[in-house]
Amino acid sequence: MSTREAVLGRVRNALGTVSDYGLTTKRVVLGTLALAIVVLTVVPLAFMIWTSLWSGFPGQFSAHFTVGNFVAVYLEGFFDVFDLFSNSLVIAVGMTLTGMVFGLTFAWLFVRTNLPTKSTMELVLLSGQAIPGYIYAMMYVTAYGPENGVIETALQDTLGVGLPFDIFSPLGIAFVVGINVVSTFYLLAVPALQDMDPALEEVSRVYGASIPATLRSITLPLIKPAILSGAVVIFLYGLGEFAIVAILGARNGFDVYSTEIWKAINSRFPPANGEAAALACSLLLLTLVLVWYYRRVTRRKEDFMTLTGQGYTPQTWNLGRWRWPLAIGLWVVLVVVWILPVVVMVLSSLAPNWQGTVDLTALTLANYAEAVSNAQLRDAFANSIVVAVGGATLGTILVVGLAYFTERTKARFRGLVDFLSLTPLAVPGVVMGASLLFSFLWIGKIHPVVDLYGTLAIIIVGCVIVFIPVSSRIALGNIVQIHSELEESARIAGASWLRQMREVFMPLFRNTTIVIWFFLAIHIFQLLSIPIMVYTSDTVVVPVQLFDLYMYEPSLEIVAAISTIFIGMTLVLILALRYAGVTFYELGQR
């Protein structure tokens, strides 16, 4: 008997034993994945609530339970809650509208029309995913800042006028934050547009409906789950936005929930952990309301199922004489909003000492040489790759299982699991990182096997928790479009559940799975909030290295050089996908 046959035999025996106890393979697999989601989301959440109700510091068992933190925050003015709420609302709404308008427009034009150069446009759009928010903020200051910005200076010198907007104003900050998530909304909308049967739009056009009327009456209603998923996720993410607001808002003292919580923990002595946790609880309450609304709107899943067992021929709309004017207009937007800040970043990475002006004769590669030759940076890049690949793989498995568990089963607690998957959005990343650190410090005391502190595993786990809400919305927003009749046919034909998954569901869900993995890999690679709280000298990743360089060794040129390498690595990944025949806007046609 070969080793392979022996292993398969043991697996069959194990499955048989499980069956003897009345447990099916489906229940064991989905139950394990759902339990993992519950544990990952509840443990930090429990720590946050515990801290909000604790009179002492985290881990100080001699203290006692109290509501004093809530009284101080919401009744005694420890924080200016009304201003923080209104400021956070401005950022969240502006971020959602900006991301939705740009992301949905690009997604529809790329997937559903014959827009010229859309392949190159997608490359530019997705490259923005490689730029961390804090780098984006610095690049906008360098490009469009009212004092030393390259564009502001050029307009003043040539035309005598300045820019009509201020990136340090609340609306300016909201716009920059929103631009940073356009590619995220694009990735949320693309699979839904790909999975929509184009025959429905064709019928509308045959009966004389215009393009706007067809969009309003057919396209947008059919992808409503994906739009709602994206809007809810981006809105909640906006409520917890930290990096861009911290950089752009500091100039005028503009604070939101996350920056105030960060200051309460890091800038006050002693740290106001309990008050910060109490403030974060109001975000959790808002999450509950939004999840309830989302599930109420999308509960009639059959209305959105457009991918069935009936085949269809993918078709794109002919834009006719508007093809090139539209393409030129979009390229202008891409240049102003995405390309120019990146160009400024690259120029600053080539400058020996960046002062806001470009001296082509003084450009140098010294910053790149230092970045590449620095042993700490090389180790940081290696650690980041391990964290990104490990986190993306683990996160993809978890959220695909979560989507199947909540939308394809009648399990009693699936609504609770779905709600828990969104709760990390209510906890700002910095608070989540601190909660995770203390959680594993306590868990590590139980047995050395579960002591993850000081390993890359704790960073991977933390990154997966942070992005479970976003990635699960991608999965949930698209799984409702795959009709269950395909799996039911396989079941009637005698296929086991594992075979249904392998030969029916996973091939149909392949597009979304690829998008989720790509999304997680890029965002985990650049995430700062979790690594900054749990890293050690052996587990430094690139975002932490960048943050330390900017905060403690002010070197915008080195930071820009490393960020440029960020973008280069993302471009390599995207080009590798295209070399393998994969482009996001036409995945659904394969």
Side-chain angles (χ1 to χ4, degrees):
M1 178 182 293
S2 65
T3 303
R4 180 174 178 274
E5 291 173 339
V7 171
L8 291 175
R10 291 185 179 183
V11 172
R12 293 191 188 98
N13 292 334
L15 293 176
T17 302
V18 169
S19 179
D20 292 341
Y21 282 97
L23 298 174
T24 65
T25 305
K26 178 180 178 180
R27 287 185 176 181
V28 171
V29 173
L30 293 181
T32 302
L33 292 175
L35 181 62
I37 293 288
V38 172
V39 170
L40 288 175
T41 54
V42 166
V43 170
L45 184 63
F47 182 83
M48 184 192 73
I49 295 175
W50 180 21
T51 303
S52 71
L53 294 170
W54 200 242
S55 64
F57 296 105
Q60 184 183 352
F61 285 105
S62 59
H64 56 83
F65 285 103
T66 178
V67 294
N69 294 323
F70 285 91
V71 173
V73 171
Y74 297 103
L75 297 179
E76 298 179 351
F78 190 89
F79 299 116
D80 192 339
V81 178
F82 179 78
D83 280 353
L84 292 176
F85 179 77
S86 58
N87 291 344
S88 298
L89 204 60
V90 168
I91 296 299
V93 171
M95 184 178 183
T96 304
L97 291 178
T98 304
M100 182 187 298
V101 170
F102 281 97
L104 200 56
T105 300
F106 279 116
W108 183 79
L109 288 171
F110 291 178
V111 175
R112 310 296 291 163
T113 73
N114 61 344
L115 183 76
T117 70
K118 59 184 179 182
S119 177
T120 309
M121 288 186 191
E122 187 193 57
L123 190 64
V124 173
L125 189 67
L126 294 184
S127 297
Q129 293 265 324
I131 306 176
Y134 44 92
I135 296 295
Y136 229 94
M138 288 186 285
M139 293 305 101
Y140 260 74
V141 172
T142 310
Y144 299 109
E147 295 178 354
N148 298 319
V150 172
I151 304 303
E152 176 76 16
T153 303
L155 287 175
Q156 289 287 358
D157 293 343
T158 56
L159 303 176
V161 298
L163 290 169
F165 58 86
D166 181 7
I167 62 170
F168 296 112
S169 67
L171 293 180
I173 296 172
F175 179 77
V176 176
V177 171
I179 288 299
N180 196 42
V181 298
V182 168
S183 53
T184 300
F185 207 99
Y186 172 80
L187 291 176
L188 288 165
V190 161
L193 287 166
Q194 290 168 339
D195 290 340
M196 189 181 68
D197 189 347
L200 301 170
E201 292 177 331
E202 289 298 325
V203 172
S204 174
R205 295 173 63 185
V206 167
Y207 281 93
S210 62
I211 291 180
T214 302
L215 282 172
R216 187 174 60 254
S217 59
I218 302 293
T219 307
L220 294 179
L222 285 177
I223 62 172
K224 189 176 180 179
I227 295 176
L228 281 175
S229 296
V232 170
V233 168
I234 298 299
F235 183 81
L236 290 172
Y237 186 69
L239 288 176
E241 168 61 29
F242 170 75
I244 295 178
V245 178
I247 293 174
L248 298 182
R251 181 186 179 111
N252 296 323
F254 181 81
D255 280 308
V256 293
Y257 268 91
S258 59
T259 57
E260 195 62 47
I261 291 171
W262 176 71
K263 290 178 180 177
I265 296 175
N266 292 278
S267 301
R268 291 175 183 253
F269 184 81
N273 296 301
E275 291 81 359
L279 184 63
C281 284
S282 55
L283 288 178
L284 180 62
L285 180 61
L286 186 56
T287 302
L288 176 63
V289 175
L290 290 173
V291 171
W292 168 82
Y293 173 74
Y294 168 76
R295 292 189 65 81
R296 181 173 179 271
V297 171
T298 60
R299 62 186 176 186
R300 292 186 304 157
K301 292 173 288 189
E302 291 78 6
D303 293 348
F304 307 107
M305 291 179 176
T306 58
L307 183 60
T308 67
Q310 300 177 357
Y312 61 84
T313 303
Q315 296 180 359
T316 57
W317 290 35
N318 183 6
L319 295 174
R321 60 179 180 175
W322 292 103
R323 290 178 70 232
W324 282 106
L326 269 174
I328 293 172
L330 290 177
W331 271 113
V332 171
V333 173
L334 288 172
V335 168
V336 173
V337 176
W338 280 277
I339 296 178
L340 191 57
V342 174
V343 171
V344 174
M345 179 184 68
V346 174
L347 290 174
S348 63
S349 72
L350 296 171
N353 184 20
W354 179 253
Q355 297 294 331
T357 57
V358 180
D359 183 1
L360 296 178
T361 62
L363 299 184
T364 174
L365 293 175
N367 298 318
Y368 288 92
E370 183 176 345
V372 174
S373 61
N374 188 303
Q376 291 182 338
L377 279 176
R378 286 203 303 271
D379 292 342
F381 268 107
N383 289 338
S384 289
I385 291 173
V386 172
V387 170
V389 173
T393 304
L394 175 62
T396 302
I397 293 172
L398 287 175
V399 299
V400 172
L402 167 69
Y404 195 93
F405 177 77
T406 56
E407 298 298 333
R408 282 291 199 270
T409 72
K410 301 296 182 184
R412 182 182 304 175
F413 301 109
R414 65 186 188 283
L416 175 63
V417 174
D418 184 31
F419 165 70
L420 291 177
S421 71
L422 276 180
T423 53
L425 279 174
V427 187
V430 172
V431 177
M432 177 66 77
S435 301
L436 197 68
L437 171 64
F438 289 118
S439 298
F440 275 99
L441 284 176
W442 283 108
I443 293 173
K445 302 295 183 183
I446 299 174
H447 194 280
V449 174
V450 292
D451 186 6
L452 300 183
Y453 179 69
T455 69
L456 292 176
I458 189 174
I459 300 178
I460 292 175
V461 170
C463 293
V464 169
I465 294 174
V466 167
F467 290 112
I468 280 178
V470 183
S471 53
S472 65
R473 295 312 98 179
I474 299 176
L476 288 166
N478 292 282
I479 195 173
V480 298
Q481 291 188 306
I482 302 177
H483 206 292
S484 59
E485 69 178 15
L486 301 166
E487 293 153 73
E488 291 171 1
S489 299
R491 182 179 57 81
I492 293 173
S496 65
W497 178 75
L498 286 177
R499 191 172 182 183
Q500 294 173 40
M501 292 293 292
R502 186 176 65 251
E503 298 184 3
V504 178
F505 178 77
M506 289 311 300
L508 291 173
F509 209 60
R510 180 178 66 96
N511 300 345
T512 304
T513 303
I514 293 173
V515 169
I516 292 172
W517 193 95
F518 176 80
F519 173 86
L520 286 173
I522 296 299
H523 284 80
I524 289 176
F525 191 79
Q526 58 186 232
L527 182 66
L528 171 66
S529 58
I530 294 297
I532 197 66
M533 301 302 294
V534 299
Y535 81 99
T536 63
S537 58
D538 295 328
T539 58
V540 175
V541 292
V542 174
V544 173
Q545 195 74 36
L546 276 169
F547 184 80
D548 287 345
L549 282 172
Y550 182 77
M551 296 297 294
Y552 307 117
E553 301 176 28
S555 177
L556 181 62
E557 300 81 13
I558 294 294
V559 171
I562 300 172
S563 300
T564 304
I565 297 175
F566 258 54
I567 296 178
M569 294 180 70
T570 305
L571 287 176
V572 169
L573 176 59
I574 295 174
L575 291 175
L577 290 171
R578 295 201 169 189
Y579 182 77
V582 176
T583 52
F584 287 98
Y585 69 85
E586 62 179 9
L587 275 175
Q589 301 173 20
R590 296 179 182 279

